[in-house]
């Protein structure tokens, strides 16, 4: 008996696009299952079984786990804003844009449904059986994001642009061999830490979706599960903000990275820059290695 | 005087099975000692010396430490659900199933006993000397898991299936060279982080045992230590749920991983797939390395 | 279509100094955006969306992200105190001192402005529209640091010296090949952890700026944004302490490192020391590797 | 101008013992400065600037930083219980035992003094100027550990044995090439995580010193700083427990590791065991690598 025997050849997907979409779907499913479950646990336990920070951590671990599951297959975008930016950068083919976004959306929808099933009793106990978007016993915030009362539309739009911009700006530098690359095998963990940082600092205004799929998927589920159309109409149809703003924010963060960092990194095609590259590397060595590099052969 | 002199050859175990069972026993002992001690500290100090999150962290560190102690010897299953899944996958021989499960159970039992000894005064002070399963001063939740009042049987069964499924789904991808492997030497730490994620998100309903040994071992100890048969009879004999559901959940998570990810990974035996493998790798490189890979020889 | 096509050659900066200043500016911007946003989120939500620890974590993640963005270009100083110490150590050319400090200051100023824009509604809602430095509804502590009522001037000066000294002392050892180097690719993450440690232990007296740019930048912004001159005059013109003390503290930490550690590390130019080096290494191996090293060729 | 110019040859220590003692002193100083500062910050701010968990984290980061500073020089024991165990294991020469313990004690004493200087105003403000060991405004627990009211002597002795035993048991496996070694360059970080785990789970009874130097150093400082002899006489001269119990506990943990793990690891001197070693390694590979290892040459 061997693992190979388990492999049902008939189920093996030969098509790369389908395989990648399945990976994006499963990964986004995992991300949302971690995040929304934590939100449900903290909310329904009235913070006796966790706190705001637990939810931030859950999304962070979710990103890490989702990336280890899919990064080698689809690139682990998990987020239409990331997919769009990668397409613009030419790092992902444009024909992936729509299929990936739909897969991410479906994964987020399915995760919300499962979280609802798992925490159904708790949600009913907490809400008194009435699924509402407003008020003390609202449970909509377990799944999707909503703006604070005091928040203006423009402000929430800016909030989502900044949050998503920071995400792209920070992750784009992680694998740049010409700068300070993170260990390739630990990028999922480090992206998770970056998401934790964004969660503790940029979710105060409107929950920090910074991901259209993460927000629309659960919202669509709530519509079908009994929260009613209010999940879309509430706060003057605010739901479109976390759909549109992150796409723009991701691009702004991407160009910020290009303008401030990437375009000035040594270009191997141009010798004089390459030499610069060496200067830079040497200086950095000097800055951090205290010249140990130079002595290394002695050890 | 050398360390070798300490080695009592007579005590050296030559039998691989015994050696592996000793490792599983010690590792599960370490895992439970961390986790249940934290639960005792937080509970008996009435959250003045820690909080719910501390307990989550303790189980996480416990998993990491336990894996570093035993992964090179027994594979560090620490959990019958993991052992069963690995046997089904053919990654662990079937003749290990029963011995490993018993070792894990014994390790969990011994850890509970030690935690009880260490926190005996605190438990007596907190509970007023009466060891109960219900009420304000109950201390049973320090050791084993119990469902929330509002939870139905089916829901708790689903809860344990989902939690254990997520565990298997997430850890199975960590060492897959054909996908995005985690650094082999850091897998214990990353599995610990995944367990932290599950603890902050999927323990709201019924404590998230997701491990038959972790739950039955301490429960058996409580039976012998004075909590009485109520630890088994309470909540309508609920104790069987964390014994059975994790085994099923682990298998579901395993097959979810096979169906969505593993079966579609390039199979080296089939050249055309192997080429796919390269396509995939190249694309991922393109996605994350911004082509630095291609230029690497310049550095 | 390729990423190269995005590259506007005209925007490429050929001058190393300008390139490095841009990196320092962006990196300090990222650090402050994470940190001050978290402070705004926790403060304006009255700790319902995070707590003191969240702010500590945000600065930690900010340092990590900022270093991955700039370490390969400018060395990721992010802090005039670090730049000064590196100049004294000869690890950074003196002509970088002023330009780097100004870039860091500008980055911090810009980050504060953006945080103010993003959290404007929240700040207005929390403060009732009055931007003050003192009182229940003060919002100045979101951006810059202030001393506790009971704190004397000398004590706050010592506090900043000790905090910055610990920072330099701890980071200087991270890349020393002759001691216990951290993985080069993970130094940003480890420095982030060290900053977390300082944040949870040395910010009780006066907020723990340990960075002139991190404190003056936001303070200048507040002056221009409506908090008035009080941000400088308050607590008897205390603002100069986090400007001067960190510079001195950084140097003290640096010399502490040189006197206790660096000067006694084996010097490859002197053979008899080099042999010492080997003795040391061997002993350490013996201490930690349980002689596995010696057996390694067997595996 | 070069760093070499800073090096005062006259100050260079040629004697290995002195050099190692200086490293142990500085490292223990760093560990205590992080830990006690956090305790002072949380205590004097009445948990408004941190919580119990912050103190746990500070000790964890302190261990990591201290190890990066000294591991390559003295082995980074930081703890007489660790030094004793390493001497018994033959991993550290016996002539290091006393000098290292004294250096650790002195480092701990100096750190307490500095923490007192830095937090003097806060301590005076919190305690009302009266330095006491008992009562609401006691400040002795900032520096040394004390038992809970309900704790019996024997229980606290067991508590310290178990805590220190877990420490040794867990760290001894980290660098075992024949088992699952942690990355050598990350051992300081992983030991820090283990210490965090112990802090959140085994400090409920009596503060979890698990280190004679960490407890006696600050206690001696308090005696000289004005807390009076009560720091030693309180709780019926309890202070000797964290001095003696950790030494025994460390040895118990060490032998637990030898008996359960080390003695059964393949011994390269004995071919038949070596083959076992390979069996084990192969099985583990099979368990975790899903045979990817075998296919690796294809990639």
């Amino acid at each position: 008996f061997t693992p190979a025997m388990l492999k049902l050849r008939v189920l093996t997907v030969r098509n790369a696009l389908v395989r990648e979409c399945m990976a994006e779907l499963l990964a986004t499913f995992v991300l949302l299952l971690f995040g929304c479950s934590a939100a449900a646990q903290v909310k329904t336990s009235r913070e006796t079984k966790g706190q705001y920070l637990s939810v931030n951590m859950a999304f962070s671990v979710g990103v890490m786990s989702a990336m280890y599951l899919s990064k080698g297959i689809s690139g682990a975008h998990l987020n239409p804003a990331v997919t769009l930016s990668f397409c613009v950068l030419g790092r992902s083919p444009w024909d992936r844009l729509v299929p990936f976004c739909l897969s991410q959306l479906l994964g987020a929808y399915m995760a919300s449904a499962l979280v609802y099933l798992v925490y159904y009793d708790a949600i009913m106990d907490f809400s008194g059986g009435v699924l509402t978007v407003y008020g003390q016993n609202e449970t909509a915030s377990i799944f999707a994001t909503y703006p604070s009362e005091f928040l203006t539309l423009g402000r929430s739009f800016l909030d989502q642009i900044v949050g998503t911009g920071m995400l792209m700006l920070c992750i784009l530098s992680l694998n740049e061999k010409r700068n300070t690359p993170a260990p390739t095998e630990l990028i999922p963990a480090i992206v998770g830490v970056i998401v934790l940082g964004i969660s503790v600092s940029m979710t105060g205004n409107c929950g920090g979706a910074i991901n259209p799929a993460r927000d629309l998927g659960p919202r669509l589920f709530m519509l079908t599960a009994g929260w009613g159309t209010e999940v879309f109409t509430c706060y003057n149809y605010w739901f479109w903000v976390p759909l549109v703003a992150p796409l723009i924010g991701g691009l702004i963060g991407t160009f910020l990275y290009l303008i401030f960092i990437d375009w000035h990194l040594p270009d191997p095609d141009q010798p004089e820059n390459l030499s610069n590259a060496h200067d830079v590397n040497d200086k950095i060595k000097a800055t951090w290695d205290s010249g140990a590099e130079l002595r290394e052969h002695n050890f």
Side-chain angles (χ1 to χ4, degrees), chain A:
Chain A
F1 178 87
T2 73
M5 285 170 58
L6 279 174
K7 185 159 180 173
L8 308 179
R9 299 245 170 257
V10 64
L11 282 185
T12 303
V13 174
R14 296 250 174 287
N15 179 295
L17 175 57
V18 177
R19 193 167 47 204
E20 294 166 29
C21 286
M22 287 169 68
E24 280 296 316
L25 187 154
L26 182 67
T28 315
F29 172 83
V30 167
L31 166 59
L32 270 283
L33 194 61
F34 271 110
C36 292
S37 294
Q41 174 168 326
V42 172
K43 180 74 144 179
T44 59
S45 73
R46 295 197 149 77
E47 303 218 342
T48 57
K49 292 183 177 174
Q51 49 196 308
Y52 196 83
L53 188 58
S54 322
V55 184
N56 304 150
M57 286 179 166
F59 273 106
S60 171
V61 176
V63 165
M64 183 193 81
S65 306
M67 288 186 72
Y68 275 121
L69 271 169
S70 61
K71 188 162 164 289
I73 297 168
S74 65
H77 299 180
L78 316 173
N79 182 346
V82 173
T83 304
L84 176 63
S85 293
F86 278 171
C87 287
V88 168
L89 283 170
R91 297 185 186 181
S92 182
W94 280 98
D95 63 15
R96 293 297 195 255
L97 182 55
V98 175
F100 273 26
C101 293
L102 292 177
S103 309
Q104 294 155 358
L105 189 64
L106 184 56
Y109 182 96
M110 288 164 61
S112 319
L114 186 52
V115 171
Y116 182 64
L117 279 176
V118 170
Y119 280 99
Y120 179 84
D121 297 341
I123 289 172
M124 286 304 144
D125 180 72
F126 174 88
S127 65
V130 190
L131 303 176
T132 54
V133 176
Y134 294 106
Q136 275 288 65
N137 298 331
E138 65 84 18
T139 45
S141 64
I142 290 174
F143 298 94
T145 64
Y146 299 95
S148 305
E149 276 67 15
F150 54 72
L151 202 65
T152 62
L153 181 66
R155 194 78 49 198
S156 69
F157 201 86
L158 175 65
D159 174 280
Q160 286 300 289
I161 282 180
V162 172
T164 320
M166 286 297 283
L167 177 68
M168 287 308 300
L169 178 61
C170 293
I171 67 177
L172 281 174
S173 67
L174 293 182
N175 210 336
E176 179 49 76
K177 299 274 181 298
R178 299 168 297 165
N179 192 344
T180 327
T184 312
E185 296 187 316
L186 283 177
I187 283 178
I190 291 168
V191 173
V193 171
I194 290 169
V195 168
L196 175 63
I198 293 175
S199 304
V200 294
S201 61
M202 300 168 199
T203 61
N205 279 331
C206 49
I210 65 168
N211 179 344
R214 175 258 176 283
D215 202 62
L216 182 59
R219 209 179 290 275
L220 285 170
F221 165 73
M222 284 194 284
L223 180 68
T224 56
W227 272 268
T229 55
E230 208 174 31
V231 295
F232 282 95
T233 58
C234 67
Y235 299 102
N236 189 26
Y237 296 89
W238 181 80
F239 77 93
W240 67 273
V241 173
L243 297 190
V244 179
L247 298 173
I248 300 168
L251 292 176
I252 291 177
T254 301
F255 278 94
L256 214 59
Y257 175 72
L258 292 174
I259 293 166
F260 274 83
I261 305 290
D262 187 75
W263 287 344
H264 321 305
L265 289 173
D267 181 346
D269 314 344
Q270 301 170 5
E272 83 283 357
N273 272 32
L274 190 56
S275 60
N276 282 5
H278 288 309
D279 303 349
V280 174
N281 291 345
D282 295 350
K283 189 175 57 48
I284 300 323
K285 279 200 182 42
T287 310
W288 281 91
D289 300 4
S290 62
E293 224 60 82
L294 315 171
R295 291 196 228 77
E296 209 154 19
H297 64 281
N298 291 317
F299 292 80

